[in-house]
Amino acid sequence: MEEYKLSHLKELEAESIHIIREVAAEFENPVMLYSIGKDSSVMVRLAEKAFAPGKVPFPLMHIDSKWKFKEMIQFRDEYAKKYGWNLIVESNMEAFQAGVGPFTHGSKVHTDLMKTQALLQALDKYKFDAAFGGARRDEEKSRAKERIFSFRDKFHQWDPKNQRPELWDIYNARVHKGESIRVFPISNWTELDIWQYIRLENIPIVPLYYAKERPVINLDGNIIMADDERLPEKYRDQIEMKMVRFRTLGCWPLTGAVESGAATIEEIVEEMMTTTKSERTTRVIDFDQEGSMEQKKREGYF
Amino acid sequence: MADNKLDIKAFLDKDEQKDLLRLLTAGSVDDGKSTLIGRLLFDSKKLYEDQLDALERDSKRVGNAGEHIDYALLLDGLKAEREQGITIDVAYRYFSTNGRKFIIADTPGHEQYTRNMITGGSTANLAIILVDARTGVITQTRRHTFLVSLLGIKHVVLAVNKMDLVDFSEERFNEIVADYKKFVTPLGIPDVNCIPLSALDGDNVVDKSERTPWYKGISLLDFLETVHIDNDHNFADFRFPVQYVLRPNLDFRGFCGKVASGIVRKGDTVMALPSGKTSKVKSIVTYDGELDYAFPPQSVTLTLEDEIDVSRGEMLVHPDNLPTVDRNFEAMMVWMDEEPMDINKSFFIKQTTNLSRTRIDTIKYKVDVNTMEHLSLENGQLTKETLPLQLNQIARVVLTTAKELFFDPYKKNKSCGSFILIDPITNNTSAVGMIIDRVEMKDMSDTEDVPVLDMTKLGIVPEHYEAVEKAVKELERQGFAVRLIK
């Protein structure tokens, strides 16, 4: 007998593909923002699926804060080349040349200038009217309330109290000149769904997600990897080798590792099922101030 | 260790097969809704330790639950809400059990936020409506139930909460159920269940409670895990709104879209609307290979045997099972905009992937969501001034669109019976609607037709017809219909 039933993953996949195609059809100049993380990797694969056997009709853009892990950059370039993506890389060069970085300016200033401002500059430069992001609603409380098509005004700001109603699968894609929509096609996926999908679809991910002996230091309770020579002198004699992996990826001085022996997806999932810390605790930036993610989102950060 | 690994693989293999249930929770701040959701998440081990730490810390500081953990603090994510102590928008929560994954749309209960409940409920398979056992069925319960029936949600659980405060009285429970049944039966919701519980203490939430021995049903979570939702989609009437046309090379032309309803098979004869041209399905293409058949809500790409011209907004259907094709229809419409309706304004309407212009022909009556009473000009309950819809108001209306839409009654087919209205100036989603049926031209109050371009009269020679037709088609795509006469 034929079955007319989808598993939850197939249903989520179908929903995401529908969203991605809707954007390609309704906007003049969309872009997919690529963080090189596992969620982005799934989103990118979903875009490839949406337009197969054709090419994806929009570019991929990475906002390089200049402090990303080396392995991330290498992975990014190899992936884009292998799968034929048009890759745009943008940075806030002015701030970079002025020497802005997390060790000298702190996480708040660094994140604002090298991530948020860099993103806003890039969006203005290319005049994108829609930008895909790989955020999930189960990540953080303010994200749980964001629409799939999330309106941004001319200043790229999000107004959580004034969101467009979003019903069924009918998305309102209309914007005036200068305004834009952030689109979150994997809003309804959970962390476990992402891992499960990576496993089933054999989606390549940055090796930093898997446990390995890596040079790390303890920085205010976070396990920070010594990824390049910009680690300040004073920490260098504290470097030790530890079996660690990363649950999220970002700027290396701001992304804490977890001690782990999980070297396969199965082991990662097992660790996740038994872990007692939620994913974002390894993100230093979330703890800057109360309601800090909401604040960042209002200002234009993802 | 080897055993352990096998376990996780088995777990993942099983997890992969789980289906998805989307549910809506409705109730007021005082009904214990957040507590109930918190408990579902907590008891299904979704809350991690650091969230719990933060929760315990916050509960002591600003909590409203006395000795207990105040789950509301965990759920009310936005700063503004924490300050006001209310949930101001729809929030989505995720949890899973051994057999199923769940997405909860958590929506606020107070009247001014009807629009959020409508938003949260539009994709839900099931609604949990909370009542306080002490107060029973109140105006708000009726309002929520009416909205749930309007949205066509097929499964409703009336969660009679705070049973601990009425000594787990069977009599009280039965009284509330009887009250509710009287009200809910005429609404025609196919599956209604009532469960007595205490969210705070956990009675009948995950496990059956010993404190309600008279209750013969199952716990809330058991019900959520087992309720049969496979038939919630329409598998009878094939509708494929074309979303995107894929032309990677000259040999491949695919029509991308989501199967809105019905089933399509390779080899099926399909008709394109509005052209009426037919062809056969050559292949059903996906990234993972070709399929023999496709069903809702799959996203696929169809290729046809013949080169027929189909664009976004048009629809592929089976020729022996057509949707209604019309420009005039009746609908239940909910006003979602702070700005009241301007009855003379022309709006954009988006229905499936189709975009058109529309105007409001008639407002037949408004529904008072608290009493279900119909208010109209005829019965004197509305005046010309109070007729236009305001935020959160619901009305039965007649709409006229600039070009023909392909639709089905919402009751029969949610995907092809739903639409949104977009304000052309602010771009807000001003209203949302559920189509009831077409309206005969003779029953329209305003019969003004679309603009006409008579090419012969204008002296346009036949070699230019194709170009003019192309221009008219593009206008139509943008929502402006023009009738072309050769």
Side-chain angles (χ1 to χ4, degrees):
Chain A
M1 217 196 87
E2 284 181 350
E3 279 243 346
Y4 305 130
K5 202 177 154 169
L6 295 179
S7 70
H8 73 280
L9 271 180
K10 284 286 166 194
E11 190 172 333
L12 291 172
E13 178 190 75
E15 177 181 273
S16 303
I17 290 175
H18 174 79
I19 293 162
I20 292 168
R21 286 172 171 173
E22 202 61 9
V23 171
E26 290 235 16
F27 290 89
E28 304 270 325
N29 190 18
V31 67
M32 184 166 269
L33 296 175
Y34 180 49
S35 76
I36 324 176
K38 65 184 194 309
D39 301 322
S40 266
S41 298
V42 165
M43 178 170 67
V44 161
R45 173 55 49 87
L46 290 165
E48 290 162 0
K49 286 200 175 197
F51 304 101
K55 275 203 163 187
V56 181
F58 42 77
L60 207 55
M61 182 163 79
H62 178 231
I63 299 303
D64 189 349
S65 69
K66 300 286 187 187
W67 286 85
K68 300 293 178 193
F69 291 92
K70 284 195 294 275
E71 282 179 77
M72 289 172 74
I73 302 302
Q74 189 188 346
F75 178 90
R76 174 194 75 191
D77 294 342
E78 282 171 12
Y79 188 91
K81 197 167 164 220
K82 184 171 173 196
Y83 289 90
W85 278 88
N86 171 12
L87 174 72
I88 299 172
V89 178
E90 287 291 328
S91 303
N92 183 346
M93 288 314 288
E94 204 185 318
F96 177 63
Q97 274 148 13
V100 170
F103 289 114
T104 44
H105 294 71
S107 75
K108 197 165 176 291
V109 172
H110 168 74
T111 304
D112 179 54
L113 289 172
M114 300 308 289
K115 291 176 84 172
T116 308
Q117 295 310 319
L119 171 65
L120 302 187
Q121 286 170 9
L123 291 174
D124 286 341
K125 175 175 169 188
Y126 294 94
K127 299 191 167 38
F128 293 120
D129 52 1
F132 290 101
R136 292 179 283 110
R137 283 174 176 155
D138 85 328
E139 269 176 86
E140 201 272 337
K141 277 186 282 188
S142 71
R143 283 186 171 163
K145 307 211 164 183
E146 187 158 8
R147 305 285 192 245
I148 289 172
F149 272 48
S150 187
F151 177 77
R152 294 292 192 279
D153 66 15
K154 284 191 168 62
F155 307 101
H156 305 283
Q157 284 167 342
W158 181 54
D159 180 0
K161 278 184 144 177
N162 194 17
Q163 302 196 75
R164 290 178 178 177
E166 191 165 87
L167 282 92
W168 304 291
D169 56 3
I170 311 178
Y171 301 101
N172 179 350
R174 297 196 71 86
V175 289
H176 291 302
K177 213 173 153 55
E179 298 167 344
S180 63
I181 303 273
R182 301 278 172 93
V183 183
F184 303 104
I186 56 167
S187 284
N188 284 325
W189 296 56
T190 64
E191 189 183 9
L192 180 59
D193 296 334
I194 293 290
W195 283 118
Q196 178 74 280
Y197 197 72
I198 289 171
R199 169 179 173 260
L200 293 171
E201 303 281 329
N202 283 314
I203 296 173
I205 52 168
V206 182
L208 291 164
Y209 284 112
Y210 300 113
K212 204 182 132 183
E213 283 232 320
R214 295 187 168 97
V216 294
I217 56 162
N218 185 322
L219 203 68
D220 305 326
N222 290 300
I223 303 173
I224 298 297
M225 181 164 148
D227 195 57
D228 64 43
E229 68 297 333
R230 289 176 293 180
L231 180 74
E233 188 79 53
K234 58 177 174 180
Y235 299 120
R236 288 194 194 153
D237 55 353
Q238 298 170 26
I239 296 176
E240 49 184 334
M241 294 302 283
K242 268 191 179 156
M243 271 299 268
V244 295
R245 64 178 206 87
F246 293 86
R247 292 186 66 193
T248 64
L249 295 179
C251 299
W252 65 261
L254 298 177
T255 310
V258 289
E259 287 195 57
S260 164
T264 65
I265 291 181
E266 280 81 5
E267 284 166 356
I268 289 172
V269 171
E270 184 177 358
E271 189 182 278
M272 205 184 93
M273 301 301 292
T274 48
T275 191
T276 56
K277 296 274 182 223
S278 75
E279 196 176 10
R280 295 203 73 89
T281 51
T282 54
R283 286 286 182 124
V284 180
I285 57 170
D286 280 1
F287 302 103
D288 287 346
Q289 64 202 81
E290 198 210 335
S292 66
M293 178 60 87
E294 187 190 343
Q295 194 57 40
K296 286 196 182 66
K297 284 180 73 70
R298 282 171 186 264
E299 290 161 3
Y301 178 68
F302 262 84
Chain B
M1 196 62 201
D3 277 4
N4 211 356
K5 251 184 208 142
L6 207 65
D7 276 357
I8 213 73
K9 200 182 165 298
F11 164 81
L12 284 169
D13 290 344
K14 194 169 172 225
D15 180 81
E16 184 199 334
Q17 299 308 321
K18 288 177 187 173
D19 66 357
L20 185 63
L21 184 130
R22 298 174 199 243
L23 64 104
L24 164 78
T25 54
S28 79
V29 199
D30 310 319
D31 296 331
K33 181 164 54 84
S34 297
T35 312
L36 179 66
I37 296 171
R39 188 162 282 282
L40 286 172
L41 300 183
F42 178 74
D43 289 351
S44 64
K45 309 275 184 300
K46 176 69 204 174
L47 293 187
Y48 289 108
E49 199 177 72
D50 55 315
Q51 290 176 327
L52 278 177
D53 284 351
L55 186 59
E56 236 171 278
R57 230 178 20 241
D58 288 357
S59 292
K60 284 184 189 135
R61 204 157 46 92
V62 283
N64 297 311
E67 298 281 295
H68 293 80
I69 286 183
D70 188 354
Y71 291 102
L73 293 177
L74 184 85
L75 303 176
D76 298 346
L78 300 175
K79 253 170 118 178
E81 292 176 327
R82 292 192 158 204
E83 284 151 16
Q84 293 168 30
I86 50 163
T87 317
I88 56 170
D89 205 313
V90 189
Y92 296 89
R93 311 285 161 201
Y94 303 81
F95 74 102
S96 68
T97 60
N98 285 331
R100 216 166 229 177
K101 296 243 171 179
F102 297 90
I103 301 178
I104 305 180
D106 180 18
T107 62
H110 27 277
E111 184 164 24
Q112 63 267 44
Y113 292 117
T114 292
R115 99 174 151 173
N116 292 327
M117 180 168 158
I118 290 274
T119 300
S122 68
T123 51
N125 308 94
L126 178 146
I128 298 176
I129 295 176
L130 272 116
V131 296
D132 184 324
R134 294 168 302 176
T135 48
V137 176
I138 55 173
T139 302
Q140 180 185 270
T141 321
R142 284 192 265 269
R143 182 164 74 227
H144 291 160
T145 309
F146 172 67
L147 294 175
V148 161
S149 77
L150 193 68
L151 286 168
I153 297 175
K154 293 188 167 73
H155 312 275
V156 168
V157 176
L158 184 78
V160 182
N161 193 22
K162 306 199 181 178
M163 286 298 292
D164 50 318
L165 300 180
V166 295
D167 297 325
F168 294 93
S169 156
E170 180 181 12
E171 202 191 338
R172 180 66 188 137
F173 178 72
N174 288 340
E175 196 180 1
I176 293 170
V177 170
D179 225 19
Y180 189 67
K181 286 270 160 90
K182 224 185 309 165
F183 163 76
V184 77
T185 310
L187 294 175
I189 299 168
D191 180 28
V192 179
N193 285 272
C194 307
I195 302 177
L197 45 90
S198 164
L200 204 61
D201 297 339
D203 297 84
N204 291 330
V205 177
V206 173
D207 300 309
K208 268 204 79 174
S209 169
E210 285 168 10
R211 299 198 281 185
T212 53
W214 43 266
Y215 171 63
K216 300 291 173 245
I218 53 179
S219 74
L220 176 63
L221 192 65
D222 278 346
F223 181 75
L224 296 179
E225 274 204 283
T226 54
V227 58
H228 195 67
I229 51 163
D230 298 353
N231 297 327
D232 287 6
H233 282 291
N234 173 334
F235 293 112
D237 314 301
F238 172 60
R239 309 281 185 256
F240 190 77
V242 174
Q243 199 185 0
Y244 188 86
V245 181
L246 195 65
R247 289 212 82 158
N249 56 59
L250 289 173
D251 304 325
F252 188 95
R253 179 149 72 155
F255 303 107
C256 303
K258 173 169 162 178
V259 182
S261 62
I263 291 147
V264 64
R265 291 186 170 75
K266 199 174 159 173
D268 276 2
T269 299
V270 289
M271 178 189 273
L273 295 175
S275 75
K277 290 188 178 132
T278 58
S279 182
K280 280 198 164 75
V281 175
K282 186 171 156 194
S283 60
I284 303 172
V285 179
T286 74
Y287 176 95
D288 304 293
E290 290 190 13
L291 305 175
D292 290 330
Y293 62 95
F295 55 92
Q298 282 183 308
S299 284
V300 295
T301 300
L302 302 183
T303 66
L304 303 179
E305 296 280 0
D306 310 277
E307 275 254 338
I308 59 172
D309 187 31
V310 190
S311 359
R312 174 174 167 89
E314 301 183 356
M315 192 181 263
L316 295 173
V317 297
H318 286 145
D320 58 353
N321 180 338
L322 302 179
T324 309
V325 180
D326 212 318
R327 291 178 43 225
N328 308 312
F329 56 85
E330 258 188 287
M332 293 303 289
M333 201 161 83
V334 187
W335 199 254
M336 311 291 265
D337 206 328
E338 304 273 353
E339 204 175 299
M341 169 198 278
D342 174 353
I343 208 155
N344 298 313
K345 201 169 186 170
S346 144
F347 292 87
F348 282 108
I349 181 169
K350 190 173 178 190
Q351 177 253 352
T352 68
T353 58
N354 214 343
L355 188 75
S356 178
R357 287 303 270 249
T358 187
R359 57 187 171 69
I360 294 130
D361 182 83
T362 324
I363 297 172
K364 295 205 141 177
Y365 56 79
K366 285 190 193 174
V367 182
D368 180 324
V369 287
N370 295 327
T371 60
M372 308 305 123
E373 235 185 318
H374 293 181
L375 321 172
S376 66
L377 288 173
E378 285 74 38
N379 68 17
Q381 300 267 27
L382 290 181
T383 64
K384 249 190 122 169
E385 287 71 42
T386 56
L387 185 67
L389 288 169
Q390 295 187 13
L391 181 62
N392 296 314
Q393 290 188 339
I394 299 172
R396 183 162 176 153
V397 297
V398 177
L399 297 185
T400 298
T401 53
K403 60 174 181 179
E404 283 175 332
L405 299 184
F406 324 115
F407 60 84
D408 292 286
Y410 183 82
K411 273 210 157 89
K412 219 176 115 193
N413 192 335
K414 275 191 189 184
S415 306
C416 300
S418 48
F419 64 86
I420 64 173
L421 288 198
I422 301 168
D423 186 307
I425 296 160
T426 64
N427 283 333
N428 277 340
T429 303
S430 294
V432 301
M434 290 136 279
I435 296 174
I436 297 165
D437 211 344
R438 66 187 294 256
V439 175
E440 298 277 344
M441 204 58 199
K442 64 176 173 56
D443 297 323
M444 301 294 295
S445 70
D446 194 344
T447 52
E448 167 210 346
D449 212 338
V450 290
V452 176
L453 261 187
D454 189 328
M455 293 197 277
T456 328
K457 260 192 187 165
L458 291 168
I460 297 169
V461 290
E463 40 282 33
H464 294 146
Y465 283 3
E466 205 187 320
V468 176
E469 275 165 9
K470 216 170 172 180
V472 165
K473 199 156 186 202
E474 175 56 23
L475 279 176
E476 217 170 71
R477 200 187 61 78
Q478 295 184 23
F480 303 94
V482 177
R483 198 146 59 88
L484 206 57
I485 301 174
K486 287 183 197 172

